[in-house]
Amino acid sequence: MTDTGSRTGPWTGSAWLEHTVLAAVPLAREVAGSEVRAGLDAGLDADLMTDGFVMELVSAALVARVQAGDLAAREAMVALGALLEAGPPVVGEDIVSAYLIHVPSPGQPGGEIADGLGPRVRAALDQDRDHRNEPAVAAFLDRLLQAVPALRPLADAERYGYHDEVLAHPFLGDVAERAVSLLTGGASLEIDDDWTDEERAEALRLFTSAAADPVAEVRAVLDFFEAELGSAPEVDDLVATAFVEMLPDDDEPGAEILELIGPRLRAELRQTR
């Protein structure tokens, strides 16, 4: 990536981002400065303010404006996409990915941004959104949701891409967080002070609600995973890396879940600790 001049913005990435990209799109530059300052004021480490991080902040903020009907924000997103069309070595894949992560898919509110992308950036979007789980993983997730229907809202929150597939690793991480939260009555749930009321309500809905018998739900989840281990290598790897690794340590809130796991899960746990 080419560095151009010196940085004047509050981030730690290259001057290229500031002087070549953001300078060409004034609204994006304004949003970048505002978002970075807000992050720093909230206590984020300045070293996090890399090109990719700043681009993701800009993309998220502009797309939110686009979906609220802001035409200037839509023009800014399209202009950024055109600048990123240059591709490597001028524009790294991390920058393109950071820009695309919040771009709505065609047909969704704000999807006109994708329709205006050049061929290089649009190909990167299509490659990312054309997500399919491996057949064994897809079948495993279907069985899990049939066995524990209360997990469906979590699964729906992790759907992604053109095929509306559940992102398996984030979903199982959420399942672990919900299980621990149910056992602790929500005490283990980490809610940031700067979350909005809507964000707090959504977290409580996903991780603490709809469980008539919390312990029974947790046991159902653990029994399901215990029975599924050994069914397929892809499933074993998913359960080990996305669920077992997310379980609390002995001295952390929710550690009582460790007393409920079966021998197969316990063996996986020993390998990760």
Side-chain angles (χ1 to χ4, degrees), residues 15-84:
W16 165 86
L17 178 68
E18 181 179 359
H19 294 296
T20 303
V21 178
L22 298 181
V25 188
L27 180 56
R29 183 187 180 97
E30 174 189 326
V31 168
S34 176
E35 292 293 321
V36 169
R37 283 190 292 272
L40 294 174
D41 290 344
L44 290 181
D45 192 325
D47 289 341
L48 291 176
M49 303 303 171
T50 61
D51 288 353
F53 189 86
V54 173
M55 180 60 75
E56 184 175 345
L57 290 176
V58 170
S59 177
L62 288 177
V63 168
R65 293 191 188 188
V66 171
Q67 293 177 327
D70 188 330
L71 296 180
R74 183 180 67 184
E75 292 175 0
M77 282 297 292
V78 172
L80 285 174
L83 290 168
L84 299 183

Side-chain angles (χ1 to χ4, degrees), residues 1 16 50-56 84 88-101:
M1 184 177 300
W16 165 86
T50 61
D51 288 353
F53 189 86
V54 173
M55 180 60 75
E56 184 175 345
L84 299 183
V90 178
V91 182
E93 293 181 1
D94 59 326
I95 304 297
V96 176
S97 296
Y99 166 83
L100 289 174
I101 191 170

Side-chain angles (χ1 to χ4, degrees), residues 57-268:
L57 290 176
V58 170
S59 177
L62 288 177
V63 168
R65 293 191 188 188
V66 171
Q67 293 177 327
D70 188 330
L71 296 180
R74 183 180 67 184
E75 292 175 0
M77 282 297 292
V78 172
L80 285 174
L83 290 168
L84 299 183
E85 186 68 17
V90 178
V91 182
E93 293 181 1
D94 59 326
I95 304 297
V96 176
S97 296
Y99 166 83
L100 289 174
I101 191 170
H102 297 289
V103 171
S105 296
Q108 295 179 337
E112 63 271 16
I113 298 172
D115 295 333
L117 296 176
R120 184 191 299 272
V121 178
R122 178 57 187 264
L125 177 72
D126 291 342
Q127 181 178 9
D128 176 68
R129 302 291 168 86
D130 191 23
H131 170 75
R132 293 280 195 183
N133 286 318
E134 296 173 297
V137 170
F140 164 79
L141 295 177
D142 287 342
R143 293 193 297 272
L144 173 58
L145 295 177
Q146 290 173 11
V148 191
L151 299 179
R152 290 188 181 278
L154 280 180
D156 291 339
E158 295 292 359
R159 293 190 182 278
Y160 181 78
Y162 295 156
H163 310 294
D164 207 28
E165 292 274 279
V166 176
L167 294 174
H169 280 79
F171 170 52
L172 258 64
D174 289 346
V175 171
E177 185 172 3
R178 176 177 168 88
V180 173
S181 180
L182 290 176
L183 291 177
T184 63
S188 62
L189 193 59
E190 296 183 0
I191 297 180
D192 292 342
D193 292 338
D194 60 349
W195 283 13
T196 65
D197 291 342
E198 291 78 9
E199 290 171 332
R200 290 169 182 266
E202 179 67 359
L204 292 173
R205 181 183 75 86
L206 291 175
F207 295 103
T208 67
S209 65
D213 186 339
V215 176
E217 180 183 317
V218 174
R219 287 187 181 277
V221 169
L222 297 176
D223 289 348
F224 177 84
F225 288 155
E226 184 75 14
E228 288 284 333
L229 282 172
S231 63
E234 303 95 316
V235 171
D236 292 353
D237 180 69
L238 175 63
V239 172
T241 59
F243 180 80
V244 173
E245 287 189 7
M246 296 296 293
L247 295 177
D249 290 329
D250 293 335
D251 58 350
E252 292 180 328
E256 54 265 38
I257 195 173
L258 303 179
E259 301 301 321
L260 302 177
I261 63 177
R264 291 178 177 175
L265 285 172
R266 190 169 301 281
E268 292 289 348

